[in-house]
Amino acid sequence: MAVTPPRTVLITGATGSPETQHRYAGVLDAVRAAAARQPLGPVAPAVNAVVRALTARRADTLYTTGRDGRVLALLRFLPDGVRDRLLLRAMGVRAGAFKTGPPVPAG
């Protein structure tokens, strides 16, 4: 009986392949800009939710904090495509941000 060698998995790192970087560069820029515009809220509600979850006899599957957390929790009831479009639009990502075609070589 022949033994098959384990498959080798090529890991390209956290940045992804050049094709992936090319395709999502515009999206990542839009998300970074949207995140920079978001005001930071207090940390205490999130810390309290984590403490509640860790000390509960039976932890809930979902803890929400703040207005944004409740809105995001409601989004889980939407179909995936609708939810994705709403979130991308809220972050300023438009369909043109996803590049198609091969990346242009640098140089």
Side-chain angles (χ1 to χ4, degrees), residues 26-55:
V27 176
L28 291 173
D29 290 341
V31 171
R32 282 187 195 104
R37 290 189 304 268
Q38 293 295 317
L40 298 177
V43 177
V47 171
N48 292 338
V50 170
V51 170
R52 261 195 336 268
L54 293 173
T55 58

Side-chain angles (χ1 to χ4, degrees), residues 8-32:
T8 303
V9 177
L10 177 62
I11 299 175
T12 58
T15 58
S17 68
E19 292 83 8
T20 301
Q21 291 175 27
H22 172 73
R23 179 165 298 194
Y24 293 104
V27 176
L28 291 173
D29 290 341
V31 171
R32 282 187 195 104

Side-chain angles (χ1 to χ4, degrees), residues 55-79:
T55 58
R57 182 175 178 140
R58 294 185 123 186
D60 292 334
T61 56
L62 177 68
Y63 290 84
T64 58
T65 61
R67 183 177 56 98
D68 292 342
R70 288 187 288 277
V71 170
L72 288 173
L74 290 174
L75 289 177
R76 67 186 173 143
F77 296 109
L78 294 175

